[in-house]
Amino acid sequence: MHKKPFTGRAINSVSITAGRVSFSVESDQGQKFDFIRDGQNYYLQAQDGQNYQLRYENHSDQTF
């Protein structure tokens, strides 16, 4: 298995739809995984067999 060396800024959520919605990845225990931003790309570090959930949070009055 090849492991990519991540460099860049660590963040725990990504804003989408002009900041109206955020996206994060959480463990089954509710801990957020860090994304590594490298230029325009985002990478997620995880271990083989690790469970996670995708979480979208709406910060506006609109529905999506």
Side-chain angles (χ1 to χ4, degrees), residues 27-38:
S27 71
D28 287 341
Q29 293 77 31
Q31 293 179 308
K32 288 187 177 181
F33 285 75
D34 282 340
F35 291 94
I36 305 298
R37 182 176 179 180
D38 186 5

Side-chain angles (χ1 to χ4, degrees), residues 1-61:
M1 171 184 206
H2 176 69
K3 190 172 186 177
K4 179 181 175 22
F6 291 96
T7 59
R9 184 173 170 215
I11 56 176
N12 60 18
S13 68
V14 176
S15 292
I16 54 179
T17 62
R20 295 177 293 197
V21 175
S22 63
F23 168 77
S24 61
V25 179
E26 297 181 358
S27 71
D28 287 341
Q29 293 77 31
Q31 293 179 308
K32 288 187 177 181
F33 285 75
D34 282 340
F35 291 94
I36 305 298
R37 182 176 179 180
D38 186 5
Q40 294 297 315
N41 297 312
Y42 292 88
Y43 299 94
L44 180 67
Q45 290 184 325
Q47 304 296 321
D48 284 340
Q50 194 169 25
N51 295 322
Y52 58 87
Q53 299 173 22
L54 307 180
R55 179 179 176 90
Y56 292 88
E57 189 172 351
N58 187 351
H59 301 282
S60 72
D61 294 333

